[in-house]
Amino acid sequence: MEQLKTIGRELAMGSQGGFGQSKEFLDLVKSIGEARSKAEEDRIVLSEIDILKRKLLEPDIPKRKMKEYIIRLVYIEMLGHDASFGYIHAVKMTHDDNLLLKRTGYLAVTLFLNEDHDLIILIVNTIQKDLRSDNYLVVCAALNAICRLINEETIPAVLPQVVDLLNHQKEAVRKKAIMALHRFHRKSPSSVSHLISNFRKRLCDNDPGVMGATLCPLFDLITEDVSSYKDLVSSFVSILKQVTERRLPKSYDYHQMPAPFIQIKLLKIMALLGCGDKSASEIMYMVLGDLFRKCDSSTNIGNAILYECIRCISCIIPSPKLLEAAADAISKFLKSDSHNLKYMGIDGLGRLIKISPDIAEQHQLAVIDCLEDPDDTLKRKTFELLYKMTKSSNVEVIVDRMTDYMISINDNHYKTEIASRCVELAEQFAPSNQWFIQIMNKVFEHAGDLVNIKVAHNLMRLIAEGFGEDDDDADSKLRLSAVESYLQIMSEPKLPSLFLQVISWVLGEYGTADGKYSASYISGKLCDVADAYSSDETVKGYAVSALMKIYAFEIASGRKVDVLPECQSLIEELLASHSTDLQQRAYELQALLALDARAVESILPLDASCEDIEVDKDLSFLNGYIQQAIESGAQPYISERERSCMLETTDYHSRDHHEVPSHALRFEAYERPKPSSLPTQASTELVPVPEPSYYSEAHQPISTSSVSERESSEIKLRLDGVKQKWGRPSYQSSTSASSTPPQAANGTSSHPDVGVGSSSLKPRSSYESKKPEIDPEKQRLAASLFGGSSSSRSDRKSSSGGHKPAKGTASKPPKENPIPVQPPPDLLDFGEPTATSVTATDPFKELEGLMDSLSQDGGSTDVMGVLYSDAAPVTTTTSVDSLLSELSDSSKGNPGTYQSQTSKGPNSKEALEKDALVRQMGVNPTSQNPTLFKDLLG
């Protein structure tokens, strides 16, 4: 409401230079601001709508009044009411020659209409005319409208004019033209695919605003295809270095940070380009290290740049120094009192532990504090971190914490996520099967309705398979412990349906296996479950199947079966059930009770749940019966393929002879009248009209799935030359195109090793100075979570390890985890060789090729000096000596350069002059002196 008051006040008071608003509008804003309820506000707005409807119908409304009415309509739309009756007046205002009225009309139209509105067609011609205007403000207003209103169908109408505006003399127009092309690319990439080179050219625009706007479409293009833009790595690094050295105008500073949003966008682009590319990553090391030193962590925007640097380092192949700098920045975040900075620290820590797991151990107490923080968002982010750093030594502590948190929350969406993570960690790192069953029971008990059904099947399979070895005693103990735990859990008043299905299955299979519990006791418990959950047919079906197994095992063992009265009443109830599934189960149970031991043992063998069932799809055991029936005169079976062929033949026959049964509808065309063979008068003769001829077309009839699977060698109905008689005349063709399934190409490429040892990362603990005040309970918890640092890198299972056979989960695919010294997988690498050196080409030549010639007499432009300087570009000569001397002077006078560069390679004047001569002779400087070339690029 306060924002509406402010907007209304600005609309009312912002244009006092001759177009001040009336008292009616001011009263409207005041009354809405003072409304004490939504009903009162709606009453005021509806009254205003009635007033505006009457006023807009008046003839010859002054332009000043019409502008005020449009603003009042905008205010009504902002409050959520319909003002469609005034849309056409806003469209008409865009045609006005007055700049203020035109911009007001464009503003209202962009707020009122969407790109699929019917009135858009009335604005396209106006936009085309305004794009050719001499007033750049009018052009900017039209470009703003293009970004909001032009859809895919109307892009070709304005695209040529927008491309021409990329060379406009005003930087504001060029910037908005880039934004419009970016919008076109998002709506219809194919419409601007031939204009991608314009984005490269505008990257070297003299105005930093145009360059910054170009980064947005380039980011989208690089996301789609990284390999096509590898040659721009050095250009992006050079631009970022100039920004950090404050070569941009002061107007781009924000809280004393030079162009921070341009820096963030460049870091995002560099993270994409350096992912899995060691040569490109090495080019970025220097500027990233410079950012860590220069960023001011006392401001939010400085912390944002630091966080983006951490994200960039986690994507590229980092150096040990960069990892150490990132760990120090994370330590500052975690020590902060701000929950936002702690959240950033936890997120950054979760990204870096993929590269170096030892970093998390330096901040274990900070992680414990975040885990116990009352801020729920921070706590959830900490659980994500613990999920990433789980190993066999700390899985019990982490899963216990996660299950306790799952029980305490009411958000079903996040409870589902926590439950799935608990199940995944328990399956992958379970120290024992008993612990795994306990965790699964807890998860099912408190989040059973939210768990995937596959989890229940995996649990039942684990109990059935046991430890996967020949230790029958251990398997029996495991199943007995599961039965005992489930009998205790059944006393709970309300259990999830999926959990009850697991309980019923386990009790039916192993409830009486060890003889500890009698069949009467287990069957009574199952009848209680079926009676307590009578509305759930699935649970009742599982309970009846469990009763059938228990009675079958008793009969097979030769013991007398005493059916409990409650079980007998349950069977009688289900025999008359409306559910056919429950009826069938009840009839099967009733029939099984009347069989002898030998038959029952064949039907339901003991402990055969893990045995494979061989299914005879051809039903070969019926061949003798079929042959005997055919010999007795029975008709042979006609397959679906043969029936389809017979149907086509019947249709063809009926078309030729028009013999259709009387009870069926006729769909063939009427035949042409034929001349009578009897002698008649000339006036009554029927002259046949010649049928029009058309070009023959290949027509392929649509058949069923079984027909489409026929082999080419089989007999088919030939329809060549048969002419259709209904619809457009054509001829059948037996030619059919065979489809070839697409082959998936595996473009995965191996990444080079980082070569960063864990011993090189020793950042100081953020809680080192507070050791005397550490709570002993936190120390014990930290030791449980982060203990075993020496073996932490080898505990997490690799893809070749899998589950131990002792856990009974050998069939479950293990979760692959990255090796600590290996970078994260390159999702954007499509198999191209990654060893291509980015520095093999001259970045000065690249940038000169991207820029248009700014001089008519053959002079060149100093790209790096002119790109973002406050003054206009100055034309210089092509002397390489002067260029090198300027670079040498700038590096000496710039305090932001690295002092360590003086010790890397020859930096003397003689070496520079020698390299200049080599460049003039046309020799690649990188092949002569790569160290000197890197120093020049720095």
Side-chain angles (χ1 to χ4, degrees):
M1 186 57 67
E2 293 295 332
Q3 293 180 355
L4 291 177
K5 290 181 181 179
T6 305
I7 293 173
R9 191 179 302 110
E10 291 178 355
L11 290 173
M13 309 297 292
S15 54
Q16 295 179 355
F19 283 92
Q21 306 303 325
S22 65
K23 184 177 181 301
E24 296 176 356
F25 181 72
L26 296 177
D27 292 339
L28 172 65
V29 176
K30 182 179 179 182
S31 59
I32 291 177
E34 294 176 351
R36 297 185 179 182
S37 64
K38 177 64 176 174
E40 183 179 356
E41 177 187 305
D42 293 341
R43 180 181 57 80
I44 296 171
V45 174
L46 293 176
S47 176
E48 180 68 17
I49 290 175
D50 294 337
I51 295 174
L52 288 176
K53 284 182 178 179
R54 292 195 304 268
K55 290 184 176 295
L56 290 175
L57 293 176
E58 297 177 357
D60 300 331
I61 302 176
K63 293 182 178 180
R64 179 178 61 84
K65 284 290 186 182
M66 181 58 70
K67 173 177 172 292
E68 179 185 330
Y69 296 158
I70 296 298
I71 293 176
R72 290 159 74 173
L73 289 173
V74 171
Y75 202 76
I76 290 172
E77 282 274 337
M78 290 169 58
L79 292 173
H81 293 266
D82 182 27
S84 58
F85 61 90
Y87 289 176
I88 188 63
H89 299 282
V91 173
K92 291 179 180 178
M93 187 169 287
T94 60
H95 303 164
D96 201 286
D97 296 332
N98 186 281
L99 176 61
L100 184 58
L101 296 179
K102 181 181 288 291
R103 296 184 68 178
T104 303
Y106 273 128
L107 174 63
V109 166
T110 53
L111 294 175
F112 289 158
L113 308 181
N114 56 62
E115 60 184 18
D116 297 324
H117 200 276
D118 295 337
L119 295 178
I120 295 297
I121 194 64
L122 302 178
I123 307 176
V124 175
N125 291 335
T126 305
I127 291 177
Q128 290 178 332
K129 182 186 70 175
D130 292 339
L131 290 176
R132 295 189 296 266
S133 175
D134 296 333
N135 190 340
Y136 79 97
L137 295 177
V138 175
V139 178
C140 290
L143 289 172
N144 289 337
I146 283 177
C147 294
R148 293 293 301 273
L149 301 179
I150 295 299
N151 53 26
E152 186 175 355
E153 297 178 355
T154 53
I155 286 177
V158 297
L159 181 59
Q161 294 174 319
V162 174
V163 175
D164 294 339
L165 292 176
L166 292 175
N167 300 318
H168 199 275
Q169 60 181 353
K170 286 292 185 180
E171 60 275 3
V173 176
R174 298 199 301 271
K175 177 180 177 181
K176 293 183 181 297
I178 288 290
M179 296 169 65
L181 287 180
H182 187 200
R183 172 71 173 178
F184 294 164
H185 177 264
R186 288 188 171 181
K187 296 295 296 183
S188 177
S190 60
S191 63
V192 294
S193 58
H194 61 289
L195 303 173
I196 302 302
S197 59
N198 290 276
F199 296 133
R200 288 174 171 260
K201 293 179 181 178
R202 291 304 102 194
L203 186 63
C204 297
D205 196 281
N206 293 331
D207 184 73
V210 180
M211 182 274 300
T214 309
L215 295 177
C216 297
L218 282 176
F219 176 76
D220 291 349
L221 292 171
I222 293 172
T223 304
E224 297 171 0
D225 184 13
V226 180
S227 59
S228 300
Y229 298 90
K230 289 285 187 179
D231 58 323
L232 293 179
V233 173
S234 57
S235 301
F236 288 126
V237 171
S238 178
I239 293 173
L240 182 59
K241 184 177 180 181
Q242 294 180 59
V243 174
T244 56
E245 292 175 355
R246 299 182 180 274
R247 296 189 185 181
L248 269 65
K250 291 290 184 181
S251 58
Y252 288 90
D253 289 0
Y254 179 76
H255 286 274
Q256 300 180 355
M257 288 296 297
F261 303 105
I262 293 179
Q263 293 188 47
I264 292 174
K265 184 61 70 174
L266 285 169
L267 289 171
K268 289 179 181 290
I269 293 175
M270 289 165 56
L272 294 175
L273 294 175
C275 185
D277 192 339
K278 189 173 183 180
S279 59
S281 301
E282 290 175 352
I283 301 176
M284 306 174 188
Y285 288 167
M286 184 177 297
V287 69
L288 289 175
D290 200 14
L291 276 175
F292 274 113
R293 288 191 297 271
K294 291 184 177 181
C295 280
D296 183 13
S297 59
S298 61
T299 59
N300 286 335
I301 193 63
N303 291 324
I305 295 177
L306 284 176
Y307 172 72
E308 201 61 45
C309 288
I310 295 172
R311 292 187 59 184
C312 181
I313 289 174
S314 66
C315 294
I316 67 174
I317 303 177
S319 65
K321 291 184 178 179
L322 285 180
L323 285 175
E324 186 175 354
D328 292 339
I330 289 174
S331 177
K332 294 178 182 179
F333 290 158
L334 293 176
K335 288 191 297 184
S336 174
D337 295 333
S338 173
H339 285 170
N340 294 332
L341 295 182
K342 286 183 178 180
Y343 185 92
M344 291 167 54
I346 292 294
D347 183 77
L349 195 60
R351 295 175 183 274
L352 291 186
I353 61 173
K354 299 178 182 178
I355 304 174
S356 178
D358 295 337
I359 295 180
E361 298 178 5
Q362 306 295 330
H363 310 286
Q364 47 187 331
L365 295 179
V367 173
I368 298 300
D369 288 344
C370 294
L371 192 62
E372 298 176 353
D373 196 279
D375 189 348
D376 197 55
T377 304
L378 181 60
K379 187 180 296 185
R380 293 182 180 182
K381 197 66 179 178
T382 309
F383 276 117
E384 291 182 12
L385 173 63
L386 295 180
Y387 168 75
K388 295 176 182 177
M389 56 183 288
T390 303
K391 48 193 175 183
S392 58
S393 60
N394 59 7
V395 62
E396 298 183 40
V397 179
I398 292 178
V399 172
D400 288 342
R401 284 270 180 165
M402 295 176 72
T403 51
D404 293 341
Y405 180 69
M406 178 192 67
I407 296 172
S408 64
I409 62 177
N410 297 321
D411 186 0
N412 288 338
H413 175 74
Y414 194 67
K415 181 178 286 189
T416 304
E417 184 178 354
I418 289 288
S420 62
R421 288 180 177 178
C422 290
V423 171
E424 182 180 352
L425 294 178
E427 289 179 349
Q428 188 174 0
F429 300 105
S432 63
N433 282 348
Q434 287 85 353
W435 180 85
F436 177 76
I437 292 176
Q438 292 176 3
I439 294 299
M440 291 296 100
N441 292 345
K442 187 181 293 186
V443 171
F444 277 117
E445 183 177 357
H446 298 282
D449 295 332
L450 307 175
V451 179
N452 194 331
I453 191 173
K454 293 182 180 179
V455 178
H457 295 164
N458 291 337
L459 177 59
M460 291 186 286
R461 185 185 62 187
L462 173 64
I463 296 174
E465 293 176 353
F467 285 95
E469 299 177 352
D470 296 333
D471 192 356
D472 294 336
D473 294 337
D475 294 344
S476 299
K477 292 180 180 179
L478 172 66
R479 293 159 183 167
L480 180 60
S481 63
V483 171
E484 291 177 348
S485 62
Y486 289 153
L487 289 175
Q488 294 177 0
I489 294 174
M490 289 177 67
S491 59
E492 297 291 335
K494 183 66 177 176
L495 292 175
S497 174
L498 188 60
F499 193 28
L500 288 170
Q501 297 172 24
V502 176
I503 292 175
S504 300
W505 184 87
V506 172
L507 293 181
E509 288 283 344
Y510 309 106
T512 60
D514 291 342
K516 184 176 181 179
Y517 300 100
S518 64
S520 300
Y521 178 75
I522 299 296
S523 59
K525 288 289 186 180
L526 291 172
C527 290
D528 294 340
V529 169
D531 183 61
Y533 299 90
S534 57
S535 60
D536 194 336
E537 295 183 357
T538 305
V539 173
K540 293 176 71 174
Y542 269 81
V544 173
S545 297
L547 288 173
M548 188 185 305
K549 294 176 185 177
I550 291 175
Y551 291 140
F553 297 156
E554 291 294 310
I555 295 174
S557 61
R559 291 188 290 268
K560 184 180 180 181
V561 177
D562 295 329
V563 181
L564 297 178
E566 53 267 27
C567 295
Q568 187 64 38
S569 62
L570 175 64
I571 295 173
E572 294 175 356
E573 176 188 351
L574 296 182
L575 289 174
S577 174
H578 294 287
S579 173
T580 56
D581 177 68
L582 294 179
Q583 269 193 20
Q584 180 178 351
R585 292 174 190 266
Y587 275 110
E588 290 176 355
L589 176 56
Q590 191 178 43
L592 184 139
L593 293 174
L595 297 177
D596 57 0
R598 183 178 178 182
V600 170
E601 187 177 2
S602 301
I603 296 172
L604 289 176
L606 182 64
D607 195 14
S609 58
C610 295
E611 295 181 1
D612 295 332
I613 300 176
E614 297 181 1
V615 179
D616 187 1
K617 296 182 179 180
D618 297 332
L619 303 179
S620 58
F621 59 91
L622 294 176
N623 290 341
Y625 172 78
I626 294 174
Q627 186 64 27
Q628 183 180 0
I630 292 177
E631 292 176 356
S632 300
Q635 293 294 328
Y637 172 73
I638 302 176
S639 64
E640 185 178 1
R641 178 181 59 82
E642 295 173 349
R643 288 198 301 270
S644 301
C645 294
M646 293 175 62
L647 180 62
E648 293 177 2
T649 307
T650 304
D651 293 342
Y652 171 69
H653 181 76
S654 63
R655 281 200 302 268
D656 281 352
H657 300 282
H658 305 289
E659 296 178 359
V660 181
S662 59
H663 62 274
L665 294 177
R666 297 182 59 178
F667 294 100
E668 68 274 2
Y670 293 108
E671 62 180 0
R672 294 180 302 167
K674 299 179 181 179
S676 176
S677 59
L678 299 176
T680 56
Q681 297 179 2
S683 58
T684 60
E685 289 183 356
L686 298 177
V687 180
V689 179
E691 189 174 4
S693 61
Y694 299 94
Y695 291 101
S696 61
E697 298 176 356
H699 178 71
Q700 182 177 356
I702 300 175
S703 60
T704 60
S705 59
S706 62
V707 179
S708 63
E709 295 175 356
R710 283 184 254 163
E711 299 179 357
S712 59
S713 61
E714 295 177 347
I715 300 176
K716 297 183 179 179
L717 182 64
R718 301 192 55 171
L719 299 177
D720 300 80
V722 178
K723 191 172 184 179
Q724 289 186 346
K725 288 205 170 189
W726 186 260
R728 185 176 182 179
S730 62
Y731 292 87
Q732 299 287 349
S733 175
S734 60
T735 304
S736 61
S738 61
S739 60
T740 303
Q743 298 179 356
N746 185 10
T748 307
S749 59
S750 59
H751 306 292
D753 294 335
V754 183
V756 180
S758 60
S759 60
S760 62
L761 299 175
K762 299 296 182 182
R764 294 185 300 274
S765 175
S766 59
Y767 278 67
E768 191 174 348
S769 59
K770 302 181 181 180
K771 284 184 178 179
E773 303 177 0
I774 295 176
D775 188 4
E777 182 64 26
K778 290 184 180 180
Q779 286 184 337
R780 287 192 294 270
L781 180 58
S784 302
L785 291 174
F786 302 90
S789 61
S790 61
S791 60
S792 62
R793 291 182 296 273
S794 61
D795 286 337
R796 188 174 288 270
K797 292 178 173 55
S798 62
S799 58
S800 61
H803 234 332
K804 293 182 180 179
K807 297 178 184 177
T809 56
S811 59
K812 304 181 182 66
K815 179 181 177 182
E816 295 184 1
N817 292 278
I819 304 176
V821 297
Q822 199 171 11
D826 183 10
L827 300 180
L828 299 176
D829 191 0
F830 297 100
E832 291 79 5
T834 58
T836 304
S837 176
V838 182
T839 59
T841 57
D842 191 354
F844 296 93
K845 296 295 183 182
E846 293 178 4
L847 293 178
E848 290 174 4
L850 293 176
M851 292 188 59
D852 296 328
S853 176
L854 298 179
S855 176
Q856 300 296 331
D857 56 354
S860 62
T861 304
D862 186 3
V863 179
M864 296 304 164
V866 176
L867 192 56
Y868 304 118
S869 60
D870 296 334
V874 180
T875 303
T876 61
T877 62
T878 58
S879 175
V880 180
D881 295 336
S882 60
L883 177 60
L884 294 176
S885 61
E886 289 175 6
L887 289 173
S888 177
D889 295 339
S890 61
S891 62
K892 292 179 181 179
N894 188 6
T897 57
Y898 294 99
Q899 300 299 331
S900 61
Q901 291 296 319
T902 58
S903 61
K904 295 182 179 180
N907 289 328
S908 61
K909 184 176 181 181
E910 291 79 9
L912 293 174
E913 292 176 353
K914 182 185 294 184
D915 186 72
L917 293 176
V918 172
R919 187 186 296 274
Q920 290 178 351
M921 294 173 64
V923 182
N924 189 359
T926 57
S927 61
Q928 301 294 329
N929 197 341
T931 307
L932 174 61
F933 187 66
K934 289 182 179 180
D935 293 339
L936 291 176
L937 284 179

